[in-house]
Amino acid sequence: MDLNEKLLEVSRLFRIDYEYLGFEPIQMGNVNRTYKVNFLLPEGTPKSFLVQNVNTYAFRNPVGLMENIDKVTEHIRRKKPGQLTLHFHHTADRKTYVADGSNFWRMTNYVPSVTYDTVTDLQVVRNAGAAFGQFQMDLADFDIHELTETIPGFHNTRSRYEALIRSVEANKSGRASQVREEIDFLLSVQDLACKLTDLQRAGQLPLRVTHNDTKINNVLFDPQTNEAKIVIDLDTVMPGLMGHDFGDAIRFAANKVEEDCPDFEKAQVDMDVFRAFAEGFLAKTAAGLTETEVDTLALSCFVLTAELATRFLADYIDGDLYFKVLSPEHNLVRTRCQIALAKDMLKKMPEMEQVVRHCVAAAK
Ligand code: GN1
Ligand code: MG
């Protein structure tokens, strides 16, 4: 069966019975394959949906993942009758997926929109902050025990360090000796980088429902107004910390260069972007934050950046097994870029903390 026939078959299983017009591949994320499937309504109006083929190598528990997503999206949808929300279609037997041996399919509504990989427009950044903050608030009353931890220890920084140390000892690729400087730096900041994990373990930071992949290109914007329409890519929705979502968003959006920039010395926090994101995010969330969450929000940016550096570096030493690489040095370039950004964050920490405090005061 060719892809065209397959997408039609999958659409029918999701009970879309309109006249099928065909499909277009869509560039979205680095993990799953996405297609826009086009139909014609009886009155002659075109209507599209998104069909995704989930990468089950990256996501080992796709059924658990879809159960998480289904619960979360339905929770949000119930709160917003009549409003645009992300919606996963169900099969006749109420499943949000179609598994056919090697492939794992799902279908959502199609939302005409634009996304941004890098942003300089501060209003767009502020809107993205508000969208991720609103996502948090929409799920503030959701019971975390209903969610499966589909990637165990995803943001457990202590475990990420243990994994790095194991990779260095195993040295599968023989590359460990070339990256001594990077290993040493990351080890030197280990306790600071593990602060959120340690506070959570000590019961001082609450577990919440978090998105866990808050890159700005996971927000869909209205092409005319640049208002944020919805948050997408819920593959890593799991119990987590407020700082995971704030920190990862800043790590990505507020970096002056892209996360794999070879000119890694240029990696720095853009404080205007930091402030704009914090304003948007905290306007939505500040009222519900604990004091310790507020106190560690700026630090969380450093934590998430250092944590990702350990993941990139471990993967480099393992021989590039997890992250897709475009060149043999790609994971090393990413590591160095994250380390440079983490160092800049340490310098700017007092300023970042001040901005957070200011935004929290303004939101109350
Ligand atoms: C991965 O696949 P993508 O681009 O959505 C990774 C994130 C990292 C990110 C770095 C499931 O996200 O944790 O921050 O790469 N996702 C997973 O670019 O490991
Ligand atoms: Mg993702």
Side-chain angles (χ1 to χ4, degrees), residues 310-326:
T310 66
R311 295 175 61 194
F312 286 147
L313 185 56
D315 200 38
Y316 180 72
I317 298 169
D318 289 346
D320 309 320
L321 302 174
Y322 187 97
F323 293 102
K324 282 188 200 164
V325 289
L326 300 176

Side-chain angles (χ1 to χ4, degrees), residues 136-323:
Q136 276 283 338
M137 290 300 96
D138 288 342
L139 295 168
D141 58 347
F142 187 98
D143 180 4
I144 54 163
H145 300 104
E146 292 222 9
L147 295 180
T148 308
E149 205 182 349
T150 49
I151 306 180
F154 190 58
H155 284 311
N156 182 326
T157 319
R158 286 268 170 224
S159 312
R160 296 294 188 185
Y161 264 91
E162 285 157 16
L164 172 63
I165 292 164
R166 277 198 304 277
S167 295
V168 173
E169 280 165 3
N171 197 10
K172 282 190 212 155
S173 66
R175 287 164 161 174
S177 59
Q178 303 158 28
V179 291
R180 210 54 255 180
E181 205 179 314
E182 288 75 16
I183 298 168
D184 288 345
F185 170 76
L186 288 171
L187 290 177
S188 75
V189 294
Q190 180 169 4
D191 281 339
L192 192 60
C194 293
K195 191 88 182 268
L196 294 190
T197 302
D198 293 348
L199 285 171
Q200 192 263 317
R201 277 187 184 167
Q204 291 177 43
L205 283 173
L207 275 179
R208 298 173 178 276
V209 180
T210 45
H211 181 283
N212 291 310
D213 191 9
T214 46
K215 297 192 278 198
I216 199 158
N217 53 18
N218 280 332
V219 180
L220 303 187
F221 292 91
D222 183 305
Q224 266 84 48
T225 64
N226 269 334
E227 291 291 325
K229 296 178 97 169
I230 49 170
V231 167
I232 58 161
D233 188 359
L234 307 188
D235 289 333
T236 48
V237 164
M238 278 182 282
L241 303 177
M242 184 67 83
H244 295 153
D245 279 0
F246 182 78
D248 201 46
I250 294 298
R251 177 195 73 69
F252 189 82
N255 191 352
K256 285 192 178 169
V257 295
E258 291 193 39
E259 74 179 12
D260 57 354
C261 176
D263 236 345
F264 52 86
E265 288 91 352
K266 291 193 184 141
Q268 276 185 16
V269 185
D270 181 325
M271 284 306 295
D272 292 331
V273 173
F274 180 87
R275 191 173 297 104
F277 189 90
E279 280 166 6
F281 188 85
L282 287 164
K284 298 287 182 185
T285 56
L289 295 185
T290 68
E291 237 170 83
T292 312
E293 282 180 315
V294 173
D295 291 347
T296 51
L297 220 47
L299 178 69
S300 73
C301 307
F302 168 78
V303 168
L304 272 283
T305 307
E307 180 189 282
L308 189 58
T310 66
R311 295 175 61 194
F312 286 147
L313 185 56
D315 200 38
Y316 180 72
I317 298 169
D318 289 346
D320 309 320
L321 302 174
Y322 187 97
F323 293 102

